[in-house]
Amino acid sequence: MLVPLAPPLLAAAALAAFAAGFVKGFAGFGFAVVFTPLLSLISDDPRHVVFAALVLGTLMSLGVIAELRHAITRDRALPVLLGTALGTPAGIALLGLVARPALKFVIAGLAVGVTILRLARVRVRLGGGAGPLAAGALLGGLLNGCTSMGGPVPAMVVAWQGRAVADSRAILVMFNLLSYVLAIAVALAGGIARPHWLLSGLWLAPAAALGTFAGIRAVRRIPPSVFGHVITAVVGLAGLAGLASALRLYLSIG
């Protein structure tokens, strides 16, 4: 993928991977939100872009989890893993039952709406227990399976719970890693993806890794309030990207 492109475009692809890695290292989620729209402008095969994002996102998630291993505890991991493991296959099963543009509009509209509420300083408070985490991971996994836009849901949950930076990043990276792995497994088992598609973007791994490392270093130097603004920005970007994707899919069907 992208190898035949001119050097300036190859450099642009590496820069997109670096930027996506930075967001991933900083916030614990958001790699595909940044990487997929930017690479889709360069590559003429969106399938390659999607599966390259899955593989690179998995690798970067492993790096962030290694950095956050002390923040991953059973009371945080179990509800996230359970909700994601149940929600993602259910979302995949819904693919043939519900129109994808409608689902994309729902999750994208939710993400944009919550971003507007946060920018307007409308406060929503959730309890800090396992219930909201499991529910957020379940809904996020469901929407991930249907639309690939499920990440904003658990991000909103941890923001509304008022969790610390390390807790939020650990929860979000666990959700992302499991979602990526499940999506790859289902794609391969169902014949949706070919193995060489999954390897086509590995040459971008060094740039993504450098960005992830830079994001991990940056998050250690910022106050919690700034981290909350970054979460809001990434959720908003996910919503806008989802709206654009849904509109494009709707127009292509029409």
Side-chain angles (χ1 to χ4, degrees):
M1 183 184 71
L2 304 177
V3 173
L5 295 179
L9 293 180
L10 295 177
L15 184 61
F18 178 90
F22 183 90
V23 171
K24 180 71 175 180
F26 190 96
F29 81 111
F31 184 90
V33 170
V34 176
F35 182 85
T36 303
L38 294 180
L39 262 291
S40 295
L41 299 175
I42 298 172
S43 173
D44 58 357
D45 192 338
R47 297 172 301 176
H48 284 184
V49 174
V50 169
F51 290 112
L54 288 174
V55 173
L56 291 172
T58 298
L59 295 176
M60 299 311 109
S61 295
L62 291 173
V64 179
I65 278 182
E67 185 254 340
L68 290 170
R69 60 189 181 277
H70 299 300
I72 298 175
T73 59
R74 179 177 298 181
D75 63 321
R76 298 166 191 158
L78 287 181
V80 172
L81 297 179
L82 180 62
T84 308
L86 292 176
T88 302
I92 294 171
L94 285 175
L95 277 176
L97 302 177
V98 183
R100 291 187 67 193
L103 289 169
K104 283 181 176 285
F105 273 121
V106 169
I107 181 58
L110 177 63
V112 171
V114 171
T115 300
I116 293 173
L117 291 177
R118 286 180 60 81
L119 291 175
R121 301 185 183 276
V122 175
R123 297 184 179 274
V124 177
R125 291 295 182 187
L126 293 178
L133 278 184
L138 178 67
L139 181 57
L142 184 72
L143 293 167
N144 238 0
C146 295
T147 69
S148 75
M149 292 293 295
V153 177
M156 289 183 288
V157 169
V158 298
W160 286 340
Q161 285 185 319
R163 289 182 176 268
V165 171
D167 291 352
S168 299
R169 294 173 69 226
I171 289 165
L172 294 174
V173 75
M174 283 189 292
F175 169 80
N176 271 243
L177 178 59
L178 185 57
S179 295
Y180 289 146
V181 171
L182 284 173
I184 291 172
V186 170
L188 289 175
I192 301 171
R194 299 174 184 174
H196 72 273
W197 291 356
L198 301 177
L199 304 176
S200 63
L202 284 181
W203 69 277
L204 290 169
L210 286 175
T212 301
F213 177 76
I216 290 172
R217 293 292 299 272
V219 76
R220 296 172 180 172
R221 302 173 182 271
I222 58 95
S225 59
V226 175
F227 180 81
H229 292 319
V230 173
I231 291 288
T232 301
V234 176
V235 170
L237 178 60
L240 293 175
L243 288 175
S245 176
L247 182 60
R248 183 172 57 186
L249 183 58
Y250 176 79
L251 293 176
S252 66
I253 293 174

